[in-house]
Amino acid sequence: MAEYFENIPKIPFEGPKSDNLLAFKYYNPDEIVNGKTMREQLKFALSWWHTMGGDGTDMFGVGTADKTWGESDSEKRAIAKVDAAFEIMDKLSIDYYCYHDRDLSPEYGSLAQTNEKLDKVVAYCKEKQEQTGKKLLWGTAKCFDHPRYMHGAGTSPSADVFAYSAAQIKKAIETTVELGGNGYVFWGGREGYETLLNTNMSLELDNMARLMRMTVDYARSIGFTGDFYIEPKPKEPTKHQYDFDTATVIGFLRKYGLDNDFKMNIEANHATLAQHTFQHELRVARDNGFFGSIDANQGDVLLGWDTDQFPTNAYDATLCMYEVLKAGGFTNGGLNFDAKARRGSFTKEDIFLSYIAGMDTFAMGLKAADKLISDGRIDKFVEDRYSSWTTGIGADIISGKATLNDLEKYALEKGEVTDSLSSGRQEMLESILNQVLFNI
Ligand code: XUL
Ligand code: CO
């Protein structure tokens, strides 16, 4: 079997003082942080679409990186991609991968033919998994790139398109089960609208829920016990994506009775496109019992689209891992690098350098989040800030004992509230975070 990255060794952990660019400075897979090894806490995954397929093509130019893997024939290329992906995962000590069905194997003449070719690649992935111990984190169906999905898949005005996407998703679930994946993602590729002038939003949303219900029922019937995830995103490609943000998606899931089967796959860049912080989205998911998995990347504050950059912002990674630890860590989910090296970072080495940058950033974030929690000052501050709810009138409100009449009586007797107002201390808290992060 060909080696695709002959000049890249297995990436060692050398610690923060190392100047070896092909070494981890913070990601030490076997180091225990917060009761588990880093590899268990972080559960890194490789994204098949960016890493194995994305060649830097954009609307201004053709690809800059060679992602042919030495093969011009698409079936041979699909197999070569598997070998190259497992080599990358081995060299980077990444235990998981994620794919869209069409990343593994493209469309051929008919759905039957497409499925048959996909089966071969899936069988090869299974063989490689058995040899290496690597695992599938989650699978999904690419129901947005083919022209048939121009108006959406589950929310298409055409019932035939809905049926086609259902067939595609059925197969994608089967491959996920075959490869032992514990997650299945719905990212609403073109599930949204460009103008309400041509859109029956109510029917489209009902239909989306119908498709999800059918998928859950089928998946459970073939033994899928993992989580379904919705990956919120507010815009791009459509002007309005139905899965706008976590709060919107939770409302949708509850309305249609899908909340027991679904959790969230939160992507950092999607959070910021929705004008939220990454931490906000994670907090909404955690507080409502929908924390599931993460697409790790970052956007650019000056750009209004999904740039899918490798995450290097240590603050964001810390606050993300703080939420993950507070949620009790990952169960079926993990950290999938839905990220691509910039178009100008086109060499094979850049694949490794960008993953090292992302993995080290999250390792740093994990360690800092753990320190933040054991330091305790921030958690204690928040606890004290809400202490008026543990006794007296606060406790009576929470227990449901106090009525509006009682509160009026209390307020009248007490007079103006001055003694229970205290500073929010934002600057002090931000400086505690700095101190924990840059204890230099
Ligand atoms: C698109 C995106 C997708 C999903 C999987 O913005 O994030 O790649 O992660 O469909
Ligand atoms: Co994503």
Side-chain angles (χ1 to χ4, degrees):
M1 190 190 66
E3 191 179 357
Y4 292 90
F5 304 94
E6 284 165 352
N7 300 324
I8 310 281
K10 189 162 172 113
I11 306 300
F13 167 72
E14 290 187 359
K17 293 201 166 48
S18 166
D19 60 5
N20 175 3
L21 298 174
L22 289 174
F24 293 116
K25 318 297 180 301
Y26 298 95
Y27 183 55
N28 183 6
D30 299 321
E31 184 179 329
I32 307 281
V33 181
N34 206 282
K36 286 189 228 164
T37 62
M38 285 184 133
R39 99 180 307 139
E40 288 165 334
Q41 291 285 20
L42 294 164
K43 293 183 69 184
F44 289 129
L46 166 146
S47 66
W48 213 271
W49 52 103
H50 287 308
T51 308
M52 311 319 298
D55 65 2
T57 300
D58 68 12
M59 58 263 255
F60 302 99
V62 297
T64 54
D66 181 3
K67 297 282 176 79
T68 60
W69 308 106
E71 301 290 353
S72 52
D73 172 77
S74 72
E75 282 183 69
K76 286 191 183 142
R77 183 179 299 169
I79 294 295
K81 272 187 184 180
V82 180
D83 286 329
F86 277 77
E87 186 182 333
I88 296 172
M89 287 189 272
D90 173 50
K91 289 187 167 168
L92 282 165
S93 305
I94 290 180
D95 295 332
Y96 297 87
Y97 64 98
C98 300
Y99 64 74
H100 300 85
D101 47 4
R102 304 299 174 245
D103 306 326
L104 288 185
S105 177
E107 291 210 15
Y108 291 86
S110 66
L111 184 59
Q113 249 181 312
T114 300
N115 287 348
E116 193 194 312
K117 309 268 192 211
L118 176 60
D119 281 338
K120 289 191 189 147
V121 184
V122 169
Y124 192 50
C125 286
K126 194 170 179 183
E127 208 181 301
K128 298 287 281 192
Q129 285 187 189
E130 280 159 8
Q131 282 162 19
T132 61
K134 303 289 175 200
K135 299 186 193 86
L136 174 66
L137 187 69
W138 51 255
T140 186
K142 200 173 214 170
C143 291
F144 47 86
D145 65 337
H146 192 279
R148 81 176 72 85
Y149 297 127
M150 66 173 75
H151 302 303
T155 65
S156 172
S158 156
D160 284 352
V161 172
F162 181 102
Y164 203 103
S165 71
Q168 191 180 327
I169 289 169
K170 175 175 178 286
K171 183 70 185 172
I173 277 286
E174 288 164 2
T175 66
T176 303
V177 171
E178 175 68 9
L179 292 171
N182 281 325
Y184 184 87
V185 166
F186 281 86
W187 168 60
R190 291 183 197 274
E191 316 294 15
Y193 63 79
E194 297 296 336
T195 172
L196 285 175
L197 292 173
N198 66 13
T199 303
N200 182 342
M201 184 158 71
S202 160
L203 177 67
E204 291 196 2
L205 284 165
D206 288 352
N207 283 346
M208 192 67 233
R210 288 186 178 105
L211 183 57
M212 288 177 177
R213 170 50 53 211
M214 286 179 205
T215 306
V216 170
D217 291 346
Y218 178 70
R220 299 297 183 217
S221 81
I222 61 164
F224 179 71
T225 54
D227 291 327
F228 288 93
Y229 303 115
I230 292 188
E231 185 177 318
K233 184 175 185 181
K235 54 189 168 189
E236 200 207 14
T238 69
K239 179 174 85 167
H240 177 87
Q241 299 273 128
Y242 289 135
D243 301 332
F244 193 92
D245 63 0
T246 301
T248 309
V249 169
I250 290 174
F252 168 89
L253 292 172
R254 287 182 176 151
K255 173 175 175 186
Y256 293 103
L258 292 161
D259 42 324
N260 287 332
D261 292 286
F262 278 84
K263 291 193 165 66
M264 246 21 87
N265 183 38
I266 308 280
E267 177 164 325
N269 204 165
H270 296 179
T272 49
L273 286 176
Q275 310 285 313
H276 299 310
T277 61
F278 186 18
Q279 188 187 12
H280 167 91
E281 286 293 85
L282 292 162
R283 180 70 64 90
V284 175
R286 166 160 86 87
D287 281 352
N288 288 284
F290 286 89
F291 169 73
S293 202
I294 289 177
D295 268 14
N297 63 14
Q298 69 188 29
D300 184 305
V301 279
L302 301 181
L303 301 178
W305 61 91
D306 200 9
T307 57
D308 283 347
Q309 288 165 232
F310 270 88
T312 52
N313 183 316
Y315 279 98
D316 286 348
T318 300
L319 295 173
C320 164
M321 290 313 299
Y322 174 83
E323 296 300 325
V324 173
L325 292 178
K326 289 278 178 183
F330 291 113
T331 44
N332 288 328
L335 279 165
N336 167 45
F337 285 106
D338 190 356
K340 56 187 176 200
R342 297 304 78 200
R343 186 167 182 272
S345 305
F346 65 97
T347 69
K348 283 183 171 180
E349 200 174 40
D350 283 306
I351 297 176
F352 288 84
L353 294 172
S354 52
Y355 269 96
I356 291 170
M359 292 165 78
D360 265 344
T361 301
F362 267 87
M364 199 188 253
L366 168 65
K367 291 180 100 167
D370 177 49
K371 262 169 79 185
L372 204 59
I373 292 170
S374 52
D375 174 276
R377 280 176 289 172
I378 292 188
D379 285 343
K380 175 80 170 55
F381 183 85
V382 176
E383 196 187 318
D384 290 349
R385 191 161 185 240
Y386 293 88
S387 59
S388 69
W389 295 93
T390 54
T391 56
I393 196 75
D396 288 348
I397 295 170
I398 285 185
S399 70
K401 195 172 139 209
T403 64
L404 216 53
N405 277 330
D406 298 332
L407 297 182
E408 182 193 40
K409 187 163 170 286
Y410 179 86
L412 285 171
E413 274 168 20
K414 189 136 179 59
E416 188 50 70
V417 224
T418 44
D419 52 340
S420 59
L421 288 176
S422 60
S423 169
R425 299 257 194 268
Q426 181 171 337
E427 301 74 11
M428 177 196 83
L429 297 165
E430 287 168 349
S431 111
I432 292 175
L433 180 58
N434 274 346
Q435 192 194 358
V436 166
L437 252 164
F438 302 106
N439 192 5
I440 40 181

